[in-house]
């Protein structure tokens, strides 16, 4: 705003004492001070309000005004309440330094002037920023010249003092203000994503306000294509893939103009989201072609040729054909007529972006297709040398699960279930069909587990544990009751700890010495307990078959 506008506002009680030629100066802020040297708190463009408490005699005016002029303030407004009349030495000093000087009527509080200036300046900044956002949107729509969402987030910080970040539904930091230094901590990103997904499932319109510790955030949904909340027939079609804009502020009392501005920012970010989705089209098509070849039993040479085409697209500059992993995902909703394949595809694409990387594209080196109700990801891995020591490479199911479980569980509410299966790495087209079946089997193991988000890896398919989830519940209950209920009853009546003893004995591979040491028992006491177990169950713990039955019963109980 201009100084002239302040002078024309009667309610502010300002009277011009000097600097009429400078009234077109722009006011960018306001500051109240009675310090003799306030320079450390000045950045230029301020209207400085003072009660003149810094002035002891006429010699103090010149250095005070010189400091203000050197800092580039817009004007000085001195209150009349303390001295009644503004001293002539202050008027003269302002004239020498061409600093406009106002007298503030004693009936007007500095707070009234401050509130007016802040409201006017913020409104003008919002209008200017809205124009910048609109121009930036047009630039991004036509090409990458706009610089991405980071630029607009920097503008929000510099012009409106709003810190904001773009997050994925899994809590990955996609974009943030570069000028703000380090981004949000990973655990806070995950909590904000979880809160956003939980609020979105209720159907409430954004922004959603969330308080974490002393900080309040307002969460704005970022929808692909800028679609409205009503564009999707069911929120569950997109809730697990929509981004969000987290603003460190309480938007509850914002004026409509500022809310409209932030909605414009989300539309701008959605342009970047659409560009990212368009870039994935080629990778999706490659994955679909490979998947169809594998499922139709194509010759390994044909699959290998297709993989050679995919490798440079997914890992440019790699030079050699990588190893591959297959990951299968499925999203199931209770009582919902939703095409599950595309939902799982969009979610899997997001999950497989490196959670420690920032930005919309880094480490986005996967190709995801969907068939039926499941999504299948083809993940390239750098070639492993022949001297590889056999330790795990690539994506591990438990690590993958840990990064996404909490946020996604909030979005799934009580009616959704996400399951993931991860294959071992394979080094040739011949192994790809087996990897696909391995990932599908692992996903079915995960589906049998409790919890909203579950994953299983290929390691579990080599264990007897694979069989346990598929045992019918009634068979499971009957089997465990027959073997373990007599021991539980005896423990309740005699506090004999037969169940813990049985677990320790099996865990020590039937070694009397090691088991006695672990339980801090004499070997004879251990032999007595094992004998009692055998007597109550009519089993013999020296026989492999009986040991295995007890082991499975404990696992299923």
């Amino acid at each position: 705003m201009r100084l002239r506008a302040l002078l024309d506002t009667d309610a502010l009680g300002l009277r011009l004492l000097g600097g009429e030629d400078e009234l077109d100066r722009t006011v960018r802020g306001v500051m109240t001070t009675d310090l003799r040297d306030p320079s450390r708190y000045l950045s230029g463009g301020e209207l400085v309000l003072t009660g003149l408490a810094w002035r002891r005699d006429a010699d103090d005016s010149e250095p005070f005004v010189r400091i203000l002029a050197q800092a580039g303030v817009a004007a000085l407004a001195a209150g009349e309440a303390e001295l009644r009349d503004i001293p002539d030495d202050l008027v003269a000093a302002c004239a020498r330094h061409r600093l406009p000087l106002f007298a503030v009527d004693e009936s007007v509080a500095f707070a009234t002037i401050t509130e007016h200036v802040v409201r006017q300046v913020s409104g003008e900044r919002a209008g200017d920023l809205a124009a910048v956002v609109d121009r930036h949107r047009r630039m991004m729509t036509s090409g990458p010249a706009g610089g991405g969402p980071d630029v607009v987030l920097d503008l929000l910080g510099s012009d409106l003092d709003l810190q904001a970040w773009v997050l994925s539904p899994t809590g990955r930091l996609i974009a943030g203000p570069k000028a703000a230094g380090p981004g949000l901590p990973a655990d806070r990103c995950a909590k904000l994503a979880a809160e956003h997904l939980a609020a979105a499932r209720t159907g409430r319109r954004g922004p959603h306000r969330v308080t974490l510790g002393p900080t309040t955030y307002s969460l704005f949904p970022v929808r692909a294509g800028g679609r409205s909340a009503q564009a999707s027939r069911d929120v569950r079609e997109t809730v697990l893939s929509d981004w969000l804009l987290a603003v460190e502020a309480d938007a509850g009392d914002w004026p409509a103009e500022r809310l409209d501005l932030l909605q414009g920012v989300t539309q701008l970010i959605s342009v970047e989201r659409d560009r990212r989705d368009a870039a994935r089209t080629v990778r999706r098509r490659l994955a679909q072609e490979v998947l169809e070849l594998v499922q139709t039993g194509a010759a390994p040479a044909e699959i290998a040729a297709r993989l050679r085409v995919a490798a440079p697209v997914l890992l440019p500059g790699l030079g050699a054909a990588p190893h591959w992993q297959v990951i299968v995902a499925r999203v199931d909703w209770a009582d919902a007529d939703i095409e599950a394949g595309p939902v799982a595809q969009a979610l899997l694409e997001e999950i497989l972006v490196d959670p420690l990387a920032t930005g919309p594209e880094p480490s986005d080196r996967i190709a995801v297709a969907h068939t039926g109700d499941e999504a299948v990801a083809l993940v390239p891995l750098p070639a492993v040398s022949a001297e590889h020591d056999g330790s795990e490479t690539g994506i591990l199911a438990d690590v993958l699960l840990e990064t996404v479980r909490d946020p996604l569980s909030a979005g799934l509410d009580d009616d959704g279930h996400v399951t993931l299966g991860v294959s071992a790495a394979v080094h040739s087209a011949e192994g790809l069909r087996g990897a696909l079946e391995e990932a599908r089997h692992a996903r079915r193991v995960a589906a049998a587990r409790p919890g909203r988000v579950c994953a299983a890896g290929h390691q579990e398919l080599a264990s007897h544990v694979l069989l346990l989830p598929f045992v019918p519940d009634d068979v499971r209950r009957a089997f465990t009751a027959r073997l373990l209920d007599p021991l539980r009853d005896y423990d309740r009546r005699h506090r004999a700890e037969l169940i813990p003893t049985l677990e320790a004995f099996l865990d020590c591979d039937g070694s009397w010495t090691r088991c006695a040491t672990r339980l801090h028992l004499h070997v004879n006491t251990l032999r007595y307990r094992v004998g009692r177990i055998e007597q109550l169950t009519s089993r013999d713990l020296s026989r492999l078959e009986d040991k295995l039955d007890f082991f499975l019963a404990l696992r299923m109980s």
Side-chain angles (χ1 to χ4, degrees):
M1 66 179 302
R2 306 289 183 181
L3 288 174
R4 193 180 305 280
L6 289 174
L7 192 61
D8 293 340
T9 305
D10 295 337
L12 299 183
L14 296 178
R15 181 163 47 89
L16 183 66
L17 299 181
E20 186 174 0
D21 296 339
E22 305 291 335
L23 291 181
D24 286 328
R25 288 187 180 187
T26 299
V27 179
R28 297 188 178 88
V30 62
M31 176 190 175
T32 299
T33 185
D34 277 311
L35 296 173
R36 296 170 67 86
D37 181 3
S39 58
R40 72 183 67 181
Y41 305 109
L42 298 171
S43 57
E46 296 93 347
L47 171 66
V48 175
L49 305 175
T50 181
L52 300 176
W54 50 266
R55 183 183 178 277
R56 297 186 180 90
D57 55 45
D59 292 337
D60 291 335
S61 293
E62 169 62 26
F64 181 78
V65 172
R66 182 171 64 251
I67 289 170
L68 299 187
Q70 290 174 347
V73 303
L76 175 65
E80 295 180 324
E82 185 72 20
L83 301 178
R84 296 290 178 180
D85 293 322
I86 305 302
D88 291 340
D89 48 271
L90 180 59
V91 176
C94 288
R96 280 194 298 274
H97 291 278
R98 301 181 62 82
L99 182 67
L101 175 64
F102 297 97
V104 182
D105 190 272
E106 61 181 337
S107 64
V108 178
F110 282 178
T112 301
I113 300 174
T114 299
E115 181 180 355
H116 177 83
V117 172
V118 169
R119 186 168 58 250
Q120 294 298 316
V121 169
S122 296
E124 291 178 2
R125 284 180 174 176
D128 292 342
L129 185 55
V132 172
V133 169
D134 184 64
R135 182 173 68 252
H136 200 71
R137 184 190 302 116
R138 292 195 299 271
M139 293 173 69
M140 288 186 67
T141 302
S142 60
D150 292 340
V151 174
V152 177
L153 299 183
D154 280 332
L155 288 173
L156 287 176
S158 62
D159 284 22
L160 292 185
D161 197 26
L162 291 176
Q163 299 301 316
W165 300 266
V166 180
L167 306 177
S168 78
T170 61
R172 180 174 61 90
L173 181 62
I174 294 171
K178 289 182 169 53
L184 287 175
D187 60 340
R188 179 146 296 202
C189 290
K191 289 178 181 177
L192 290 174
E195 294 285 352
H196 169 73
L197 290 174
R201 284 302 310 276
T202 66
R204 291 187 286 116
R205 297 187 61 179
H208 310 299
R209 286 177 289 162
V210 175
T211 299
L212 299 179
T215 307
T216 297
Y217 297 88
S218 297
L219 309 178
F220 294 79
V222 177
R223 298 184 172 93
R227 63 184 183 281
S228 66
Q230 290 76 31
S232 175
R233 293 174 299 169
D234 191 318
V235 68
R236 290 173 292 186
E237 293 181 0
T238 58
V239 68
L240 299 181
S241 56
D242 280 343
W243 291 354
L244 66 136
L245 176 69
V247 182
E248 190 178 310
D250 187 345
D253 56 355
W254 280 5
E257 293 81 4
R258 181 166 286 201
L259 286 172
D260 289 343
L261 171 61
L262 267 294
Q263 294 295 347
V265 172
T266 64
Q267 292 171 10
L268 172 60
I269 295 168
S270 75
V271 174
E272 180 65 34
R273 171 70 185 271
D274 291 341
R275 178 176 294 118
R276 185 212 62 167
D277 286 344
R280 285 180 169 170
T281 301
V282 174
R283 296 195 290 275
R284 287 176 174 176
R285 187 171 65 248
L286 286 170
Q288 198 72 44
E289 292 173 352
V290 173
L291 179 61
E292 290 175 0
L293 290 173
V294 171
Q295 293 189 136
T296 56
E302 187 177 358
I303 299 175
R306 189 63 61 187
L307 290 177
R308 283 194 294 272
V309 172
V313 175
L314 301 179
L315 289 176
L318 187 65
H323 288 210
W324 301 91
Q325 242 179 321
V326 175
I327 299 177
V328 173
R330 179 167 173 148
V331 180
D332 293 294
W333 300 103
D335 303 322
D337 183 19
I338 297 174
E339 190 178 358
V343 175
Q345 180 184 47
L347 175 61
L348 192 52
E349 286 175 333
E350 173 54 46
I351 288 175
L352 293 179
V353 176
D354 183 354
L356 299 180
T358 59
E361 285 292 334
S363 301
D364 193 359
R365 297 293 180 257
I366 43 91
V368 183
H370 69 83
T371 175
D373 290 334
E374 69 180 12
V376 179
L378 189 65
V379 182
L381 304 172
V384 183
S385 68
E387 294 79 22
H388 180 62
D389 61 5
S391 59
E392 291 297 334
T393 60
I395 296 172
L396 301 179
D398 55 347
V399 176
L400 189 65
L401 180 63
E402 187 64 27
T403 61
V404 301
R405 177 172 46 206
D406 291 344
L408 291 183
S409 294
L412 293 165
D413 200 11
D414 291 329
D415 60 347
H417 194 200
V418 170
T419 51
L420 303 162
V422 181
S423 80
V426 296
H427 66 278
S428 66
E430 289 87 347
L432 208 54
R433 183 178 181 83
L436 176 59
E437 291 305 314
E438 192 173 57
R440 283 175 168 162
H441 281 305
R443 192 206 64 77
R444 286 193 285 270
V445 170
R449 293 174 174 169
R452 291 293 166 195
V453 184
C454 300
H458 63 92
Q459 308 93 329
E460 299 175 65
L461 303 186
S463 170
H464 58 273
V465 178
L466 169 66
L467 303 174
L468 300 186
F470 302 102
V471 177
D473 287 342
D474 54 345
V475 176
R476 182 192 304 249
R477 285 192 294 269
F479 181 75
T480 57
R482 185 169 62 253
L483 277 176
L484 301 183
D485 280 1
L487 306 182
R488 292 183 179 126
D489 291 341
Y490 192 87
D491 280 346
R492 275 194 298 270
R493 286 185 283 109
H494 301 283
R495 298 182 181 180
E497 298 188 353
L498 296 184
I499 292 290
T501 300
L502 175 61
E503 291 175 332
F505 187 73
L506 295 175
D507 196 43
C508 292
D509 298 323
S511 169
W512 298 99
T513 304
R514 283 195 290 125
C515 185
T517 302
R518 174 180 295 189
L519 295 176
H520 305 289
L521 298 174
H522 192 278
V523 172
N524 289 340
T525 303
L526 176 61
R527 290 186 184 276
Y528 172 81
R529 288 188 183 181
V530 170
R532 179 63 66 182
I533 291 171
E534 293 175 333
Q535 180 184 12
L536 291 170
T537 60
S538 300
R539 297 295 184 113
D540 183 355
L541 278 170
S542 65
R543 298 177 67 246
L544 177 61
E545 294 86 346
D546 288 342
K547 285 182 182 178
L548 181 58
D549 282 349
F550 276 122
F551 184 85
L552 293 174
L554 289 169
R555 281 298 186 99
M556 289 192 292
S557 64

